[in-house]
Amino acid sequence: MSEFRIQVLLTIATAAMAVLILTPTFFAIKLLLDAGLEFVFGGVVSFGILLGFILRRETTR
Amino acid sequence: MDWELTFIIFIVVVALGFDFINGFHDAANSVATIVSTRVLTPGQAVVWAAFFNFVAAFGLGIHVANTIGKGVIEASVIDEKVILSALIGAIVWDLITWRLGLPTSSSHALIGGLIGAGVASAGTDVIITNGVERIGAFIVISPFVGFIAAVFLALGVMRLYARVAPGSAQGVFRRLQLVSAAAYSLAHGTNDAQKTMGIIAVLLFSTGHLGSEFHVPFWIVISAHAAIAAGTLAGGWRIVKTMGLRITKLEPSDGFAAEASSAAAILFATQVGIPVSTTQTIAGGIIGVGSTKRLSAVRWGVALNIVFAWFLTIPASAGVAALTFVITDSF
């Protein structure tokens, strides 16, 4: 397969992946927002901190 | 032309000036990643960002403008002095923090200014609690949303490109960064310009120049986007001149993940009508991308400054605006 074709396929795959990752993420945040401000605040901040701790553990091994 | 109308025109010009300064300040956010990855030259990047700041005028709604106009303080207490004091409070606080090197948000300063001037004018009852609570919560939420989305996207990119030759990946992300930078400039343009639109529209509405129902005329939409785009152009050229390429080195894939996730976070907030700090949202995105490599590589001093700014900006700009109102009201 030519280099040009590989790059076109990778571009499409990356754009599709971005949509597949970002859409559910923001759908979940919208659901939390609809449930109430306290849910989106608590949910997003606590999940962000948890994610930070997991990354710290994984990247300092 | 009567004196009152002249004064209103003057305040509209000050509001557009605030919008211009916003674009000027934030130009670095819009062009830094795409310049540091050498996808575009600094000159091309500035024009690219300003163009998408302006294009954001079309089709992205005016939910944030409505929130600023009707969701912070009661429109019935708003007059020329309240709006002018709010703008002066925001501008003065921006200048003080710019001098001190604190990464504060012009958006938060404007909201603080509105609250301070409104309270000084008619007491604490004028504050629309629901609206201010939503805005206050999103001051903290939006950088976290940028962070979380960027982490997910960066991890997805790492997995997808685990067995791809670096040369191929480089070519792909050079193209995709054009799209992500455009998306970020579009998001920045729409959320930030709408704050100025809300200020101008509520001023015209409360002084009886907008009819019986609050709305944002198209000339205000176009003017606000033109002002922020012009600010980005001017600010970007200054960066080209004074900073050159002394910008943090980023890989094109990192720039793509940070910009795309921040753009999505800002566009989400815009669609639900919440004014957010575009600077702090992309800072969250960049920290997220950095965290997937090595958490200790993140410059935590910057993150702590953002937290410091969260607690300080609204009370401080409200204080300056209230003081300005008291002084102007005594004349």
PDB file of all heavy atoms in Angstrom, chain B residues 26-38 40-50 177 181 184-185 232-233 235-237 239-240 243-245 247 259 282:
ATOM      1  N   ASP B  26      -5.634  36.006  24.135  1.00  0.00           N
ATOM      2  CA  ASP B  26      -5.772  34.566  23.924  1.00  0.00           C
ATOM      3  C   ASP B  26      -5.172  34.082  22.606  1.00  0.00           C
ATOM      4  O   ASP B  26      -5.252  32.896  22.298  1.00  0.00           O
ATOM      5  CB  ASP B  26      -7.252  34.164  23.992  1.00  0.00           C
ATOM      6  CG  ASP B  26      -7.798  34.277  25.409  1.00  0.00           C
ATOM      7  OD1 ASP B  26      -6.999  34.610  26.303  1.00  0.00           O
ATOM      8  OD2 ASP B  26      -8.996  34.047  25.618  1.00  0.00           O
ATOM      9  N   ALA B  27      -4.584  34.992  21.834  1.00  0.00           N
ATOM     10  CA  ALA B  27      -4.001  34.599  20.551  1.00  0.00           C
ATOM     11  C   ALA B  27      -2.964  33.497  20.746  1.00  0.00           C
ATOM     12  O   ALA B  27      -2.884  32.555  19.943  1.00  0.00           O
ATOM     13  CB  ALA B  27      -3.371  35.807  19.869  1.00  0.00           C
ATOM     14  N   ALA B  28      -2.205  33.595  21.859  1.00  0.00           N
ATOM     15  CA  ALA B  28      -1.167  32.589  22.121  1.00  0.00           C
ATOM     16  C   ALA B  28      -1.763  31.196  22.235  1.00  0.00           C
ATOM     17  O   ALA B  28      -1.215  30.226  21.710  1.00  0.00           O
ATOM     18  CB  ALA B  28      -0.404  32.937  23.383  1.00  0.00           C
ATOM     19  N   ASN B  29      -2.940  31.081  22.908  1.00  0.00           N
ATOM     20  CA  ASN B  29      -3.578  29.759  23.054  1.00  0.00           C
ATOM     21  C   ASN B  29      -3.954  29.190  21.693  1.00  0.00           C
ATOM     22  O   ASN B  29      -3.866  27.994  21.455  1.00  0.00           O
ATOM     23  CB  ASN B  29      -4.871  29.861  23.866  1.00  0.00           C
ATOM     24  CG  ASN B  29      -4.638  30.393  25.247  1.00  0.00           C
ATOM     25  OD1 ASN B  29      -3.556  30.246  25.781  1.00  0.00           O
ATOM     26  ND2 ASN B  29      -5.633  31.043  25.803  1.00  0.00           N
ATOM     27  N   SER B  30      -4.423  30.090  20.807  1.00  0.00           N
ATOM     28  CA  SER B  30      -4.921  29.634  19.512  1.00  0.00           C
ATOM     29  C   SER B  30      -3.800  29.207  18.573  1.00  0.00           C
ATOM     30  O   SER B  30      -4.007  28.337  17.736  1.00  0.00           O
ATOM     31  CB  SER B  30      -5.736  30.744  18.840  1.00  0.00           C
ATOM     32  OG  SER B  30      -6.790  31.150  19.671  1.00  0.00           O
ATOM     33  N   VAL B  31      -2.639  29.827  18.687  1.00  0.00           N
ATOM     34  CA  VAL B  31      -1.582  29.544  17.702  1.00  0.00           C
ATOM     35  C   VAL B  31      -0.393  28.758  18.262  1.00  0.00           C
ATOM     36  O   VAL B  31       0.376  28.193  17.484  1.00  0.00           O
ATOM     37  CB  VAL B  31      -1.048  30.846  17.034  1.00  0.00           C
ATOM     38  CG1 VAL B  31      -2.162  31.598  16.355  1.00  0.00           C
ATOM     39  CG2 VAL B  31      -0.301  31.725  18.004  1.00  0.00           C
ATOM     40  N   ALA B  32      -0.276  28.696  19.621  1.00  0.00           N
ATOM     41  CA  ALA B  32       0.947  28.127  20.205  1.00  0.00           C
ATOM     42  C   ALA B  32       1.225  26.695  19.765  1.00  0.00           C
ATOM     43  O   ALA B  32       2.330  26.381  19.316  1.00  0.00           O
ATOM     44  CB  ALA B  32       0.873  28.198  21.732  1.00  0.00           C
ATOM     45  N   THR B  33       0.212  25.824  19.860  1.00  0.00           N
ATOM     46  CA  THR B  33       0.488  24.415  19.565  1.00  0.00           C
ATOM     47  C   THR B  33       0.804  24.199  18.084  1.00  0.00           C
ATOM     48  O   THR B  33       1.741  23.491  17.750  1.00  0.00           O
ATOM     49  CB  THR B  33      -0.703  23.515  19.972  1.00  0.00           C
ATOM     50  OG1 THR B  33      -1.877  24.052  19.406  1.00  0.00           O
ATOM     51  CG2 THR B  33      -0.850  23.418  21.459  1.00  0.00           C
ATOM     52  N   ILE B  34       0.053  24.852  17.218  1.00  0.00           N
ATOM     53  CA  ILE B  34       0.239  24.614  15.774  1.00  0.00           C
ATOM     54  C   ILE B  34       1.545  25.237  15.258  1.00  0.00           C
ATOM     55  O   ILE B  34       2.131  24.767  14.287  1.00  0.00           O
ATOM     56  CB  ILE B  34      -0.994  25.102  14.976  1.00  0.00           C
ATOM     57  CG1 ILE B  34      -1.071  24.384  13.639  1.00  0.00           C
ATOM     58  CG2 ILE B  34      -1.034  26.598  14.793  1.00  0.00           C
ATOM     59  CD1 ILE B  34      -2.426  24.406  12.988  1.00  0.00           C
ATOM     60  N   VAL B  35       2.022  26.282  15.978  1.00  0.00           N
ATOM     61  CA  VAL B  35       3.311  26.885  15.606  1.00  0.00           C
ATOM     62  C   VAL B  35       4.461  26.036  16.156  1.00  0.00           C
ATOM     63  O   VAL B  35       5.431  25.766  15.456  1.00  0.00           O
ATOM     64  CB  VAL B  35       3.412  28.346  16.119  1.00  0.00           C
ATOM     65  CG1 VAL B  35       4.812  28.903  15.911  1.00  0.00           C
ATOM     66  CG2 VAL B  35       2.396  29.223  15.395  1.00  0.00           C
ATOM     67  N   SER B  36       4.298  25.580  17.416  1.00  0.00           N
ATOM     68  CA  SER B  36       5.392  24.823  18.033  1.00  0.00           C
ATOM     69  C   SER B  36       5.610  23.480  17.335  1.00  0.00           C
ATOM     70  O   SER B  36       6.716  22.951  17.339  1.00  0.00           O
ATOM     71  CB  SER B  36       5.141  24.611  19.524  1.00  0.00           C
ATOM     72  OG  SER B  36       4.068  23.728  19.703  1.00  0.00           O
ATOM     73  N   THR B  37       4.552  22.937  16.726  1.00  0.00           N
ATOM     74  CA  THR B  37       4.723  21.682  15.982  1.00  0.00           C
ATOM     75  C   THR B  37       5.138  21.943  14.534  1.00  0.00           C
ATOM     76  O   THR B  37       5.288  21.002  13.751  1.00  0.00           O
ATOM     77  CB  THR B  37       3.409  20.855  16.005  1.00  0.00           C
ATOM     78  OG1 THR B  37       2.349  21.679  15.525  1.00  0.00           O
ATOM     79  CG2 THR B  37       3.075  20.367  17.389  1.00  0.00           C
ATOM     80  N   ARG B  38       5.267  23.208  14.179  1.00  0.00           N
ATOM     81  CA  ARG B  38       5.731  23.658  12.854  1.00  0.00           C
ATOM     82  C   ARG B  38       4.808  23.216  11.713  1.00  0.00           C
ATOM     83  O   ARG B  38       5.255  23.039  10.574  1.00  0.00           O
ATOM     84  CB  ARG B  38       7.176  23.204  12.591  1.00  0.00           C
ATOM     85  CG  ARG B  38       8.153  23.846  13.545  1.00  0.00           C
ATOM     86  CD  ARG B  38       9.569  23.320  13.356  1.00  0.00           C
ATOM     87  NE  ARG B  38      10.401  23.701  14.482  1.00  0.00           N
ATOM     88  CZ  ARG B  38      11.130  24.800  14.540  1.00  0.00           C
ATOM     89  NH1 ARG B  38      11.128  25.646  13.537  1.00  0.00           N
ATOM     90  NH2 ARG B  38      11.855  25.067  15.599  1.00  0.00           N
ATOM     91  N   LEU B  40       2.191  25.105  10.824  1.00  0.00           N
ATOM     92  CA  LEU B  40       2.030  26.390  10.122  1.00  0.00           C
ATOM     93  C   LEU B  40       3.115  27.345  10.598  1.00  0.00           C
ATOM     94  O   LEU B  40       3.611  27.218  11.726  1.00  0.00           O
ATOM     95  CB  LEU B  40       0.657  27.008  10.418  1.00  0.00           C
ATOM     96  CG  LEU B  40      -0.604  26.322   9.865  1.00  0.00           C
ATOM     97  CD1 LEU B  40      -1.853  27.083  10.303  1.00  0.00           C
ATOM     98  CD2 LEU B  40      -0.571  26.209   8.344  1.00  0.00           C
ATOM     99  N   THR B  41       3.428  28.320   9.769  1.00  0.00           N
ATOM    100  CA  THR B  41       4.337  29.378  10.223  1.00  0.00           C
ATOM    101  C   THR B  41       3.533  30.281  11.164  1.00  0.00           C
ATOM    102  O   THR B  41       2.289  30.276  11.124  1.00  0.00           O
ATOM    103  CB  THR B  41       4.832  30.229   9.039  1.00  0.00           C
ATOM    104  OG1 THR B  41       3.694  30.910   8.482  1.00  0.00           O
ATOM    105  CG2 THR B  41       5.499  29.378   7.969  1.00  0.00           C
ATOM    106  N   PRO B  42       4.205  31.073  12.009  1.00  0.00           N
ATOM    107  CA  PRO B  42       3.454  31.950  12.918  1.00  0.00           C
ATOM    108  C   PRO B  42       2.453  32.850  12.187  1.00  0.00           C
ATOM    109  O   PRO B  42       1.313  32.990  12.631  1.00  0.00           O
ATOM    110  CB  PRO B  42       4.556  32.768  13.593  1.00  0.00           C
ATOM    111  CG  PRO B  42       5.738  31.872  13.581  1.00  0.00           C
ATOM    112  CD  PRO B  42       5.654  31.114  12.298  1.00  0.00           C
ATOM    113  N   GLY B  43       2.860  33.415  11.062  1.00  0.00           N
ATOM    114  CA  GLY B  43       1.961  34.296  10.306  1.00  0.00           C
ATOM    115  C   GLY B  43       0.727  33.558   9.803  1.00  0.00           C
ATOM    116  O   GLY B  43      -0.402  34.034   9.949  1.00  0.00           O
ATOM    117  N   GLN B  44       0.943  32.370   9.239  1.00  0.00           N
ATOM    118  CA  GLN B  44      -0.193  31.570   8.739  1.00  0.00           C
ATOM    119  C   GLN B  44      -1.120  31.172   9.888  1.00  0.00           C
ATOM    120  O   GLN B  44      -2.349  31.219   9.758  1.00  0.00           O
ATOM    121  CB  GLN B  44       0.321  30.291   8.070  1.00  0.00           C
ATOM    122  CG  GLN B  44       1.025  30.514   6.745  1.00  0.00           C
ATOM    123  CD  GLN B  44       1.758  29.256   6.278  1.00  0.00           C
ATOM    124  OE1 GLN B  44       2.118  28.388   7.075  1.00  0.00           O
ATOM    125  NE2 GLN B  44       1.984  29.159   4.975  1.00  0.00           N
ATOM    126  N   ALA B  45      -0.526  30.811  11.029  1.00  0.00           N
ATOM    127  CA  ALA B  45      -1.324  30.354  12.182  1.00  0.00           C
ATOM    128  C   ALA B  45      -2.231  31.463  12.705  1.00  0.00           C
ATOM    129  O   ALA B  45      -3.388  31.216  13.066  1.00  0.00           O
ATOM    130  CB  ALA B  45      -0.395  29.860  13.291  1.00  0.00           C
ATOM    131  N   VAL B  46      -1.702  32.681  12.744  1.00  0.00           N
ATOM    132  CA  VAL B  46      -2.466  33.824  13.233  1.00  0.00           C
ATOM    133  C   VAL B  46      -3.674  34.084  12.331  1.00  0.00           C
ATOM    134  O   VAL B  46      -4.796  34.274  12.803  1.00  0.00           O
ATOM    135  CB  VAL B  46      -1.553  35.071  13.303  1.00  0.00           C
ATOM    136  CG1 VAL B  46      -2.360  36.338  13.431  1.00  0.00           C
ATOM    137  CG2 VAL B  46      -0.592  34.941  14.464  1.00  0.00           C
ATOM    138  N   VAL B  47      -3.454  34.053  11.019  1.00  0.00           N
ATOM    139  CA  VAL B  47      -4.545  34.291  10.062  1.00  0.00           C
ATOM    140  C   VAL B  47      -5.576  33.155  10.163  1.00  0.00           C
ATOM    141  O   VAL B  47      -6.791  33.396  10.162  1.00  0.00           O
ATOM    142  CB  VAL B  47      -4.001  34.429   8.619  1.00  0.00           C
ATOM    143  CG1 VAL B  47      -5.138  34.542   7.613  1.00  0.00           C
ATOM    144  CG2 VAL B  47      -3.092  35.647   8.509  1.00  0.00           C
ATOM    145  N   TRP B  48      -5.092  31.924  10.298  1.00  0.00           N
ATOM    146  CA  TRP B  48      -5.962  30.746  10.439  1.00  0.00           C
ATOM    147  C   TRP B  48      -6.875  30.908  11.666  1.00  0.00           C
ATOM    148  O   TRP B  48      -8.091  30.729  11.593  1.00  0.00           O
ATOM    149  CB  TRP B  48      -5.078  29.501  10.574  1.00  0.00           C
ATOM    150  CG  TRP B  48      -5.761  28.163  10.521  1.00  0.00           C
ATOM    151  CD1 TRP B  48      -5.988  27.322  11.571  1.00  0.00           C
ATOM    152  CD2 TRP B  48      -6.282  27.483   9.363  1.00  0.00           C
ATOM    153  NE1 TRP B  48      -6.606  26.181  11.143  1.00  0.00           N
ATOM    154  CE2 TRP B  48      -6.805  26.250   9.798  1.00  0.00           C
ATOM    155  CE3 TRP B  48      -6.348  27.820   8.005  1.00  0.00           C
ATOM    156  CZ2 TRP B  48      -7.396  25.332   8.924  1.00  0.00           C
ATOM    157  CZ3 TRP B  48      -6.937  26.904   7.140  1.00  0.00           C
ATOM    158  CH2 TRP B  48      -7.458  25.682   7.598  1.00  0.00           C
ATOM    159  N   ALA B  49      -6.267  31.273  12.815  1.00  0.00           N
ATOM    160  CA  ALA B  49      -7.030  31.407  14.074  1.00  0.00           C
ATOM    161  C   ALA B  49      -8.040  32.557  13.976  1.00  0.00           C
ATOM    162  O   ALA B  49      -9.208  32.400  14.364  1.00  0.00           O
ATOM    163  CB  ALA B  49      -6.067  31.641  15.238  1.00  0.00           C
ATOM    164  N   ALA B  50      -7.605  33.689  13.445  1.00  0.00           N
ATOM    165  CA  ALA B  50      -8.502  34.862  13.352  1.00  0.00           C
ATOM    166  C   ALA B  50      -9.669  34.565  12.418  1.00  0.00           C
ATOM    167  O   ALA B  50     -10.816  34.941  12.698  1.00  0.00           O
ATOM    168  CB  ALA B  50      -7.724  36.077  12.861  1.00  0.00           C
ATOM    169  N   GLN B 177      -3.971  18.485  12.748  1.00  0.00           N
ATOM    170  CA  GLN B 177      -3.816  19.658  13.612  1.00  0.00           C
ATOM    171  C   GLN B 177      -4.419  20.908  12.979  1.00  0.00           C
ATOM    172  O   GLN B 177      -4.853  21.811  13.693  1.00  0.00           O
ATOM    173  CB  GLN B 177      -2.332  19.882  13.929  1.00  0.00           C
ATOM    174  CG  GLN B 177      -2.029  19.617  15.396  1.00  0.00           C
ATOM    175  CD  GLN B 177      -0.924  20.471  15.916  1.00  0.00           C
ATOM    176  OE1 GLN B 177       0.179  20.400  15.386  1.00  0.00           O
ATOM    177  NE2 GLN B 177      -1.191  21.261  16.939  1.00  0.00           N
ATOM    178  N   ALA B 181      -6.921  22.840  15.343  1.00  0.00           N
ATOM    179  CA  ALA B 181      -6.652  24.260  15.644  1.00  0.00           C
ATOM    180  C   ALA B 181      -7.822  25.118  15.177  1.00  0.00           C
ATOM    181  O   ALA B 181      -8.233  26.066  15.865  1.00  0.00           O
ATOM    182  CB  ALA B 181      -5.362  24.715  14.968  1.00  0.00           C
ATOM    183  N   TYR B 184     -10.592  24.667  17.670  1.00  0.00           N
ATOM    184  CA  TYR B 184     -10.350  25.417  18.910  1.00  0.00           C
ATOM    185  C   TYR B 184     -10.636  26.910  18.713  1.00  0.00           C
ATOM    186  O   TYR B 184     -11.284  27.548  19.558  1.00  0.00           O
ATOM    187  CB  TYR B 184      -8.904  25.216  19.416  1.00  0.00           C
ATOM    188  CG  TYR B 184      -8.665  26.039  20.655  1.00  0.00           C
ATOM    189  CD1 TYR B 184      -9.141  25.616  21.882  1.00  0.00           C
ATOM    190  CD2 TYR B 184      -8.047  27.292  20.581  1.00  0.00           C
ATOM    191  CE1 TYR B 184      -8.996  26.405  23.016  1.00  0.00           C
ATOM    192  CE2 TYR B 184      -7.899  28.085  21.703  1.00  0.00           C
ATOM    193  CZ  TYR B 184      -8.369  27.625  22.920  1.00  0.00           C
ATOM    194  OH  TYR B 184      -8.248  28.417  24.036  1.00  0.00           O
ATOM    195  N   SER B 185     -10.186  27.473  17.580  1.00  0.00           N
ATOM    196  CA  SER B 185     -10.417  28.904  17.316  1.00  0.00           C
ATOM    197  C   SER B 185     -11.907  29.194  17.150  1.00  0.00           C
ATOM    198  O   SER B 185     -12.398  30.238  17.576  1.00  0.00           O
ATOM    199  CB  SER B 185      -9.661  29.356  16.067  1.00  0.00           C
ATOM    200  OG  SER B 185      -8.286  29.240  16.293  1.00  0.00           O
ATOM    201  N   THR B 232      -7.139  38.800  17.838  1.00  0.00           N
ATOM    202  CA  THR B 232      -6.270  37.637  17.614  1.00  0.00           C
ATOM    203  C   THR B 232      -5.184  37.969  16.591  1.00  0.00           C
ATOM    204  O   THR B 232      -4.013  37.632  16.786  1.00  0.00           O
ATOM    205  CB  THR B 232      -7.111  36.426  17.130  1.00  0.00           C
ATOM    206  OG1 THR B 232      -8.052  36.092  18.150  1.00  0.00           O
ATOM    207  CG2 THR B 232      -6.239  35.222  16.843  1.00  0.00           C
ATOM    208  N   LEU B 233      -5.582  38.646  15.507  1.00  0.00           N
ATOM    209  CA  LEU B 233      -4.592  39.048  14.489  1.00  0.00           C
ATOM    210  C   LEU B 233      -3.512  39.931  15.108  1.00  0.00           C
ATOM    211  O   LEU B 233      -2.325  39.685  14.924  1.00  0.00           O
ATOM    212  CB  LEU B 233      -5.284  39.838  13.376  1.00  0.00           C
ATOM    213  CG  LEU B 233      -5.790  39.068  12.160  1.00  0.00           C
ATOM    214  CD1 LEU B 233      -6.442  40.025  11.184  1.00  0.00           C
ATOM    215  CD2 LEU B 233      -4.648  38.325  11.458  1.00  0.00           C
ATOM    216  N   GLY B 235      -2.740  40.387  18.356  1.00  0.00           N
ATOM    217  CA  GLY B 235      -2.005  39.694  19.413  1.00  0.00           C
ATOM    218  C   GLY B 235      -1.046  38.680  18.839  1.00  0.00           C
ATOM    219  O   GLY B 235       0.071  38.511  19.325  1.00  0.00           O
ATOM    220  N   GLY B 236      -1.501  37.992  17.792  1.00  0.00           N
ATOM    221  CA  GLY B 236      -0.662  36.977  17.157  1.00  0.00           C
ATOM    222  C   GLY B 236       0.586  37.581  16.554  1.00  0.00           C
ATOM    223  O   GLY B 236       1.683  37.053  16.718  1.00  0.00           O
ATOM    224  N   TRP B 237       0.440  38.729  15.882  1.00  0.00           N
ATOM    225  CA  TRP B 237       1.606  39.381  15.291  1.00  0.00           C
ATOM    226  C   TRP B 237       2.602  39.787  16.360  1.00  0.00           C
ATOM    227  O   TRP B 237       3.795  39.677  16.185  1.00  0.00           O
ATOM    228  CB  TRP B 237       1.190  40.609  14.476  1.00  0.00           C
ATOM    229  CG  TRP B 237       0.532  40.231  13.186  1.00  0.00           C
ATOM    230  CD1 TRP B 237      -0.734  40.554  12.795  1.00  0.00           C
ATOM    231  CD2 TRP B 237       1.087  39.435  12.126  1.00  0.00           C
ATOM    232  NE1 TRP B 237      -0.991  40.003  11.567  1.00  0.00           N
ATOM    233  CE2 TRP B 237       0.094  39.320  11.136  1.00  0.00           C
ATOM    234  CE3 TRP B 237       2.318  38.808  11.930  1.00  0.00           C
ATOM    235  CZ2 TRP B 237       0.292  38.607   9.959  1.00  0.00           C
ATOM    236  CZ3 TRP B 237       2.512  38.089  10.762  1.00  0.00           C
ATOM    237  CH2 TRP B 237       1.519  38.003   9.800  1.00  0.00           C
ATOM    238  N   ILE B 239       3.041  38.254  19.174  1.00  0.00           N
ATOM    239  CA  ILE B 239       3.707  37.022  19.608  1.00  0.00           C
ATOM    240  C   ILE B 239       4.803  36.637  18.614  1.00  0.00           C
ATOM    241  O   ILE B 239       5.907  36.285  18.992  1.00  0.00           O
ATOM    242  CB  ILE B 239       2.681  35.874  19.732  1.00  0.00           C
ATOM    243  CG1 ILE B 239       1.789  36.129  20.927  1.00  0.00           C
ATOM    244  CG2 ILE B 239       3.359  34.523  19.877  1.00  0.00           C
ATOM    245  CD1 ILE B 239       0.479  35.403  20.860  1.00  0.00           C
ATOM    246  N   VAL B 240       4.485  36.752  17.343  1.00  0.00           N
ATOM    247  CA  VAL B 240       5.471  36.435  16.309  1.00  0.00           C
ATOM    248  C   VAL B 240       6.709  37.284  16.520  1.00  0.00           C
ATOM    249  O   VAL B 240       7.838  36.816  16.447  1.00  0.00           O
ATOM    250  CB  VAL B 240       4.880  36.701  14.913  1.00  0.00           C
ATOM    251  CG1 VAL B 240       5.953  36.554  13.845  1.00  0.00           C
ATOM    252  CG2 VAL B 240       3.729  35.751  14.638  1.00  0.00           C
ATOM    253  N   MET B 243       7.989  36.626  20.706  1.00  0.00           N
ATOM    254  CA  MET B 243       8.239  35.288  21.213  1.00  0.00           C
ATOM    255  C   MET B 243       8.929  34.383  20.201  1.00  0.00           C
ATOM    256  O   MET B 243       9.626  33.454  20.571  1.00  0.00           O
ATOM    257  CB  MET B 243       6.929  34.621  21.653  1.00  0.00           C
ATOM    258  CG  MET B 243       6.403  35.171  22.957  1.00  0.00           C
ATOM    259  SD  MET B 243       4.806  34.440  23.358  1.00  0.00           S
ATOM    260  CE  MET B 243       5.250  32.730  23.560  1.00  0.00           C
ATOM    261  N   GLY B 244       8.672  34.633  18.920  1.00  0.00           N
ATOM    262  CA  GLY B 244       9.239  33.755  17.912  1.00  0.00           C
ATOM    263  C   GLY B 244       8.797  32.329  18.157  1.00  0.00           C
ATOM    264  O   GLY B 244       7.621  32.069  18.330  1.00  0.00           O
ATOM    265  N   LEU B 245       9.754  31.431  18.232  1.00  0.00           N
ATOM    266  CA  LEU B 245       9.389  30.028  18.425  1.00  0.00           C
ATOM    267  C   LEU B 245       9.733  29.526  19.836  1.00  0.00           C
ATOM    268  O   LEU B 245       9.879  28.332  20.055  1.00  0.00           O
ATOM    269  CB  LEU B 245      10.066  29.165  17.365  1.00  0.00           C
ATOM    270  CG  LEU B 245       9.461  29.293  15.969  1.00  0.00           C
ATOM    271  CD1 LEU B 245      10.332  28.593  14.950  1.00  0.00           C
ATOM    272  CD2 LEU B 245       8.056  28.735  15.918  1.00  0.00           C
ATOM    273  N   ILE B 247       8.210  28.601  22.206  1.00  0.00           N
ATOM    274  CA  ILE B 247       6.990  28.028  22.771  1.00  0.00           C
ATOM    275  C   ILE B 247       7.294  26.576  23.118  1.00  0.00           C
ATOM    276  O   ILE B 247       8.111  25.953  22.473  1.00  0.00           O
ATOM    277  CB  ILE B 247       5.840  28.111  21.741  1.00  0.00           C
ATOM    278  CG1 ILE B 247       5.580  29.574  21.387  1.00  0.00           C
ATOM    279  CG2 ILE B 247       4.571  27.470  22.259  1.00  0.00           C
ATOM    280  CD1 ILE B 247       4.682  29.756  20.188  1.00  0.00           C
ATOM    281  N   GLU B 259      -6.003  20.213  21.594  1.00  0.00           N
ATOM    282  CA  GLU B 259      -6.897  21.175  20.919  1.00  0.00           C
ATOM    283  C   GLU B 259      -8.279  20.588  20.663  1.00  0.00           C
ATOM    284  O   GLU B 259      -9.296  21.247  20.898  1.00  0.00           O
ATOM    285  CB  GLU B 259      -6.284  21.610  19.582  1.00  0.00           C
ATOM    286  CG  GLU B 259      -5.167  22.616  19.740  1.00  0.00           C
ATOM    287  CD  GLU B 259      -4.433  22.875  18.424  1.00  0.00           C
ATOM    288  OE1 GLU B 259      -4.597  22.078  17.470  1.00  0.00           O
ATOM    289  OE2 GLU B 259      -3.696  23.851  18.362  1.00  0.00           O
ATOM    290  N   ILE B 282      -8.142  24.923  27.792  1.00  0.00           N
ATOM    291  CA  ILE B 282      -7.027  24.328  27.019  1.00  0.00           C
ATOM    292  C   ILE B 282      -5.849  24.002  27.933  1.00  0.00           C
ATOM    293  O   ILE B 282      -5.125  23.033  27.690  1.00  0.00           O
ATOM    294  CB  ILE B 282      -6.604  25.184  25.793  1.00  0.00           C
ATOM    295  CG1 ILE B 282      -5.820  24.292  24.815  1.00  0.00           C
ATOM    296  CG2 ILE B 282      -5.823  26.422  26.175  1.00  0.00           C
ATOM    297  CD1 ILE B 282      -5.625  24.837  23.433  1.00  0.00           C
TER     298      ILE B 282
END
